[in-house]
Amino acid sequence: MDGIGDVAVGVKRGSDELLSGSIYNSPSSGLSSVSDTTSNGSDSKKLRVEDRVGDAPPSRVLHIRKLPNDVSETEIIALGLPFGKVTNILTLKGKNQAFLELSTEEAAMTMVNYYSAVTPHVRSVPVYIQYSNHKELKTDNSNQSGGTLASGANSSNGGGMASSPVLRIIIDNMFYPVTLDVLQQIFSKFGTVMKIITFTKNNQFQALLQYNDPAGAQQAKVALDGQNIYNACCTLRIDYSKLVNLNVKYNNDKSRDYTRPELPAGDGQPPALDPSVVAALGKDSGSLLGALSPLSAAAAAAAAAGRVALSGHSGTSGVLLVSNLNEEMVTPHSLFTLFGVYGDVQRVKILFNKKDSALIQMADMNQAQLAMSHLNGQKMFSKIIRVTMSKHHTVQLPRDGLDDQGLTKDFTNSPLHRFKKPGSKNFQNIFPPSATLHLSNIPQDITEEDLKILFSNSGGTVKAFKFFQDHKMALIQMTTIEEAIQCLIDLHNYNMGNNHHLKVSFLQINHLKQFERS
């Protein structure tokens, strides 16, 4: 950032307004947003740019450099969408730079961790992302007018408003699973998604998606038609539907009415989130996804696979280097269990001459990047671990007859892999580490007290607990994320008796409230 002086800051906009405005700034549209021009710079506040490469502490504001000359706001925002809600953007077009503000520091940290290993590309040009010294983008409030932006953009569209709020979506080249939550995460950036129905027709995965108004449908179609959900595959083909309202009867993995969380699952399918869990989460949970982090399972998986903006995906290695481990406590199995939350671990090798470091081979590059983005900087056995991509392409097993003290393990054929089955529901249940854990496969005779004692014995304190699904599943909240990580390592696949092995995973719920049972 050397040589940059004071720069004028543009109009601050929320993510919906940002995206609806920036769509019309793209080169293909021939339109401009009302925020692109100002009569003069005197009304705008000034922002002193003080960022230097590599020396800024974590911040939810990120500094992006080396952007192409003709880059649009949509393309910049697309870099951040897989990681959470984008709340503001400032482009410095004359300097090929931009500032991107995310809703949380956690989302920004995940984004920086991910792009530190895989250089993002915009229009085949590598760009560089770092933390900004600014904690937020301060902008000129006098020019804020979301309604003006939206109406101005819509009225500028010569084709007129779409008559239907319902889109018909066909997905071509579907090499990765696409779930309801993937679609909701992507399309909710352009308006309020009310309902989604998915189905297969003519051997193609299709969906009907309803917004609360036609404007959202119009903006989504303009921005997303022809885009890839994942790198070089899962291409969106979008048209308007003749329907104006969808009739959703069930909330499950095929259909969802976000305005009616009380709908049954139907056909024996489990609901996305049990209504009793929604009740347990308190009044703030107004929908099935109300309690979940913006970085949902689907978004995390999409980020790892290289959504839209990552045309420059490089490297094929799925091997991670994990350092700063607690060498007195770490084992290949503990690493297998923790990293197995984000992919199918094939092999683990704790280095013989440096036992605070290990190589972990995942099933593919995407899983390795997902594990790295979520586990780098987390505490494991009281030490903050560092996770980076390794230069190795595979983890070598010890030669026959060579005793390596059990430091290398081959998990290739492990029955504990979570993602071996294509389209597994586990793809929908990937979350960043959190203090809240989801438990399943619980025997009927196990009580709340039994589970609280079991988890307390792992060295943590249970803050809250809730059974659901007829006591087959439960949510349990520990005091810290570190405690939850320890419990997951110790108790995932724990034998509860009668061949019931407990299944444990993270669930990104901000707070689980105790309440009296009826």
Side-chain angles (χ1 to χ4, degrees):
M1 295 290 294
D2 290 335
I4 299 180
D6 292 344
V7 294
V9 180
V11 178
K12 181 174 182 177
R13 290 166 283 173
S15 60
D16 291 341
E17 296 164 338
L18 271 171
L19 288 164
S20 64
S22 61
I23 294 166
Y24 301 93
N25 293 336
S26 62
S28 60
S29 70
L31 302 172
S32 61
S33 165
V34 296
S35 65
D36 282 343
T37 58
T38 55
S39 57
N40 57 63
S42 61
D43 293 332
S44 297
K45 293 183 180 179
K46 301 293 183 177
L47 173 66
R48 184 73 185 178
V49 180
E50 299 171 344
D51 299 285
R52 295 291 183 270
V53 176
D55 64 356
S59 164
R60 65 190 184 99
V61 179
L62 300 178
H63 174 214
I64 306 173
R65 300 178 292 120
K66 306 289 187 181
L67 289 163
N69 290 329
D70 55 352
V71 67
S72 68
E73 285 187 356
T74 302
E75 292 169 295
I76 300 171
I77 293 169
L79 292 169
L81 285 183
F83 306 95
K85 185 176 181 180
V86 174
T87 52
N88 199 6
I89 185 174
L90 168 65
T91 56
L92 313 177
K93 293 186 177 180
K95 300 184 181 297
N96 303 96
Q97 299 178 20
F99 290 95
L100 194 68
E101 180 185 275
L102 279 76
S103 59
T104 66
E105 189 173 294
E106 179 188 15
M109 291 174 66
T110 302
M111 180 173 169
V112 170
N113 285 341
Y114 177 72
Y115 288 134
S116 66
V118 180
T119 302
H121 286 63
V122 176
R123 303 194 182 190
S124 300
V125 175
V127 299
Y128 301 91
I129 300 175
Q130 66 195 69
Y131 296 117
S132 167
N133 282 331
H134 306 287
K135 295 302 181 183
E136 64 177 333
L137 290 181
K138 296 185 182 298
T139 54
D140 186 355
N141 293 327
S142 65
N143 287 334
Q144 288 189 39
S145 179
T148 302
L149 277 170
S151 62
N154 289 331
S155 63
S156 298
N157 190 336
M161 293 287 288
S163 59
S164 173
V166 179
L167 295 175
R168 182 171 68 93
I169 303 160
I170 298 174
I171 299 182
D172 291 335
N173 304 317
M174 201 170 95
F175 298 141
Y176 288 92
V178 175
T179 66
L180 267 169
D181 291 332
V182 168
L183 295 174
Q184 196 273 344
Q185 175 76 12
I186 296 170
F187 282 81
S188 64
K189 305 301 178 184
F190 302 91
T192 302
V193 175
M194 309 289 284
K195 305 171 186 177
I196 305 177
I197 298 174
T198 63
F199 55 95
T200 301
K201 183 177 181 181
N202 300 326
N203 294 320
Q204 282 186 312
F205 180 87
Q206 301 189 27
L208 293 171
L209 184 145
Q210 180 179 338
Y211 281 98
N212 64 332
D213 58 39
Q218 182 187 37
Q219 292 172 8
K221 183 180 185 302
V222 170
L224 296 176
D225 188 26
Q227 294 278 6
N228 294 328
I229 298 177
Y230 301 114
N231 189 37
C233 67
C234 298
T235 306
L236 294 166
R237 306 297 180 195
I238 304 172
D239 287 309
Y240 297 115
S241 171
K242 295 179 180 178
L243 301 172
V244 294
N245 185 54
L246 298 180
N247 182 21
V248 176
K249 297 180 179 179
Y250 305 113
N251 282 334
N252 52 39
D253 60 352
K254 303 292 188 213
S255 62
R256 195 79 53 82
D257 186 337
Y258 296 100
T259 67
R260 300 179 64 196
E262 74 282 358
L263 287 178
D267 299 328
Q269 296 190 57
L273 193 61
D274 188 274
S276 64
V277 179
V278 175
L281 295 169
K283 297 179 181 179
D284 291 337
S285 302
S287 69
L288 286 174
L289 298 180
L292 302 184
S293 162
L295 186 59
S296 67
R307 176 176 297 169
V308 182
L310 297 181
S311 58
H313 192 283
S314 60
T316 58
S317 170
V319 179
L320 296 168
L321 172 63
V322 187
S323 57
N324 202 42
L325 293 164
N326 186 330
E327 58 185 275
E328 300 298 325
M329 301 183 69
V330 71
T331 64
H333 190 269
S334 63
L335 291 169
F336 166 79
T337 302
L338 179 57
F339 281 75
V341 173
Y342 301 105
D344 292 336
V345 176
Q346 305 298 298
R347 294 175 179 175
V348 177
K349 178 190 285 290
I350 297 175
L351 303 186
F352 186 83
N353 294 321
K354 190 172 173 53
K355 292 185 174 62
D356 69 345
S357 299
L359 295 173
I360 300 177
Q361 181 178 336
M362 308 296 288
D364 58 39
M365 173 64 117
N366 296 329
Q367 293 181 3
Q369 290 162 351
L370 184 59
M372 179 188 69
S373 68
H374 288 315
L375 295 177
N376 181 44
Q378 296 292 345
K379 268 192 174 183
M380 179 183 183
F381 298 129
S382 303
K383 297 194 72 174
I384 297 175
I385 63 173
R386 301 301 176 197
V387 186
T388 59
M389 301 304 299
S390 169
K391 64 181 180 181
H392 297 283
H393 292 277
T394 186
V395 172
Q396 297 294 328
L397 296 175
R399 294 189 299 274
D400 290 341
L402 180 65
D403 180 16
D404 77 339
Q405 303 176 6
L407 298 177
T408 305
K409 293 291 184 184
D410 187 355
F411 297 100
T412 303
N413 297 315
S414 173
L416 300 181
H417 285 156
R418 298 180 188 241
F419 309 101
K420 186 175 293 185
K421 182 181 177 181
S424 167
K425 286 185 173 63
N426 288 329
F427 283 103
Q428 304 174 42
N429 297 312
I430 305 171
F431 292 92
S434 68
T436 307
L437 296 170
H438 177 272
L439 316 180
S440 61
N441 204 33
I442 302 170
Q444 286 292 322
D445 59 346
I446 295 297
T447 66
E448 177 177 328
E449 191 62 25
D450 292 333
L451 289 169
K452 285 183 175 180
I453 291 173
L454 181 64
F455 278 75
S456 295
N457 287 341
S458 281
T461 301
V462 176
K463 289 184 63 178
F465 183 92
K466 172 63 184 175
F467 267 126
F468 62 102
Q469 285 264 320
D470 296 325
H471 285 211
K472 294 177 184 178
M473 299 182 185
L475 298 181
I476 189 166
Q477 186 181 34
M478 309 305 293
T479 303
T480 65
I481 293 177
E482 182 183 3
E483 289 181 2
I485 288 174
Q486 183 65 56
C487 288
L488 184 142
I489 291 172
D490 291 345
L491 299 174
H492 178 63
N493 202 47
Y494 182 85
N495 191 348
M496 304 290 291
N498 298 321
N499 204 32
H500 279 81
H501 291 267
L502 187 67
K503 305 301 180 188
V504 184
S505 57
F506 297 116
L507 186 62
Q508 190 66 19
I509 293 179
N510 295 328
H511 186 63
L512 180 63
K513 294 184 178 179
Q514 295 268 29
F515 71 102
E516 293 183 2
R517 297 181 185 174
S518 57

